[in-house]
Amino acid sequence: MLFRILALPATVAASVISPRSSGTTCENPAVRKEWRTLSTDERNSYISAVKCLATKPSMLGLNTTLYDDFPYVHNALNDDIHFVASFLPWHRYFVHIYEQTLKDCGYTGVAAYWDWTLDSDDTSKSSIWDPITGVGGNGSPEKTVQIGWSTYKCVVDGPFKDLVPAYVTNTYQPHCLRRTFNNGTEQIGNMLSEAYTPDAVAKINALTDYVNFHNKLEGGPHGAIHSAVAGDMMPATSPNGKFSEDPETRTNAYGGIKTQSRPGQPAPAEATLDDILPMAKLAKDIPVRDVMSTQTDLLCYTY
Ligand SMILES: [Cu+2]
């Protein structure tokens, strides 16, 4: 998925807003699985469904594929959904829509995620990059693509080596799937893993203030993994948004800035649970409060 590093906004005090009095239930939540715990059949089924998306027409009326709708919408809304309060609920809903769309393409399994902490000892050697059991490896210097002024390395092995993503921005620009493992330098090194060791992530999960939690998560492990894999990032879901260790008090903890803060502009409004998550026609726009719990009819999943 496309990602651009943005400046962190000034921290704004969190407000805890009264919870939703909801009658919805979720009797049989889907249990999302870490990639390595999927069986061979489950992995193959997931990969086939992702490839299937790339054979179906856009649901947005674009001339590109259903697969491309996701990076397209993510990029189109980039400034509305990053470094703002709605970062977590928006991405939670986005992953849900992605999961539903995979099901429409024949996937019968649960959403898969990659637990980065398991690989933080040596991320570049992770089995997630295996050409057979994973999603293929680092880009190769043998096959590159020129985009603008830059040259990028293409993924040449694994199930997505022939994928042709259409967008880098929102302009049609078909290209190979790109990855350039890095440590913030020319070196692969430890791929910025200090930001997503089990210890680093546990410290963030222990934060009880929503704004602090969200800023540290987005700016820390989330930003590090995007930067360290680089290129187009990987077409898999991720386990962001797990702020549920203490559901009684934390499920409806929400607050912070509604829009990005910009120098010279008035201070952004305070975010509320009634704010609408824009989905740019990918799905229905819904209020933040509808995705604060994963145990509802709408989402109905757990980890
Ligand atoms: Cu994003």
Side-chain angles (χ1 to χ4, degrees), residues 9-216:
T11 302
V12 176
S15 60
V16 178
I17 297 138
S18 54
R20 181 185 202 200
S21 56
S22 159
T24 56
T25 53
C26 151
E27 307 229 309
N28 247 322
V31 182
R32 292 186 170 175
K33 290 187 180 170
E34 210 280 333
W35 181 260
R36 283 157 279 205
T37 70
L38 298 179
S39 68
T40 305
D41 281 354
E42 287 171 325
R43 281 197 302 260
N44 290 340
S45 155
Y46 180 85
I47 286 164
S48 304
V50 174
K51 287 180 169 175
C52 165
L53 298 182
T55 68
K56 297 269 193 258
S58 164
M59 63 168 133
L60 305 174
L62 301 167
N63 288 327
T64 45
T65 74
L66 186 55
Y67 172 86
D68 296 307
D69 284 352
F70 289 87
Y72 183 91
V73 164
H74 185 265
N75 186 68
L77 296 171
N78 193 31
D79 289 352
D80 300 321
I81 57 171
H82 296 109
F83 297 106
V84 291
S86 63
F87 169 71
L88 290 171
W90 190 90
H91 285 79
R92 174 178 281 176
Y93 187 36
F94 184 69
V95 168
H96 168 73
I97 298 160
Y98 180 69
E99 188 182 2
Q100 291 308 119
T101 312
L102 287 176
K103 285 183 181 161
D104 294 343
C105 250
Y107 184 56
T108 53
V110 295
Y113 64 91
W114 172 27
D115 182 350
W116 322 316
T117 64
L118 299 177
D119 295 312
S120 59
D121 280 347
D122 198 349
T123 311
S124 70
K125 299 286 182 332
S126 170
S127 62
I128 197 96
W129 311 122
D130 188 278
I132 308 293
T133 62
V135 296
N138 195 8
S140 164
E142 310 285 300
K143 187 187 172 198
T144 58
V145 61
Q146 182 82 20
I147 296 174
W149 298 104
S150 305
T151 304
Y152 297 90
K153 294 186 286 178
C154 300
V155 172
V156 294
D157 64 1
F160 303 113
K161 67 179 169 49
D162 299 318
L163 193 72
V164 185
Y167 298 105
V168 177
T169 61
N170 282 8
T171 307
Y172 180 64
Q173 209 162 26
H175 59 282
C176 66
L177 181 67
R178 301 163 298 154
R179 288 185 196 134
T180 303
F181 293 176
N182 73 91
N183 199 23
T185 65
E186 302 279 286
Q187 306 296 313
I188 294 177
N190 65 354
M191 293 180 71
L192 306 171
S193 64
E194 61 282 357
Y196 53 88
T197 59
D199 200 44
V201 171
K203 282 204 178 96
I204 294 171
N205 277 336
L207 296 170
T208 53
D209 172 84
Y210 178 80
V211 172
N212 202 11
F213 170 78
H214 139 249
N215 280 333
K216 296 258 165 42

Side-chain angles (χ1 to χ4, degrees), residues 249-270:
T249 56
R250 291 169 78 176
T251 299
N252 283 288
Y254 189 64
I257 49 173
K258 186 170 169 173
T259 53
Q260 287 183 1
S261 60
R262 299 236 164 76
Q265 303 273 73
E270 180 77 6

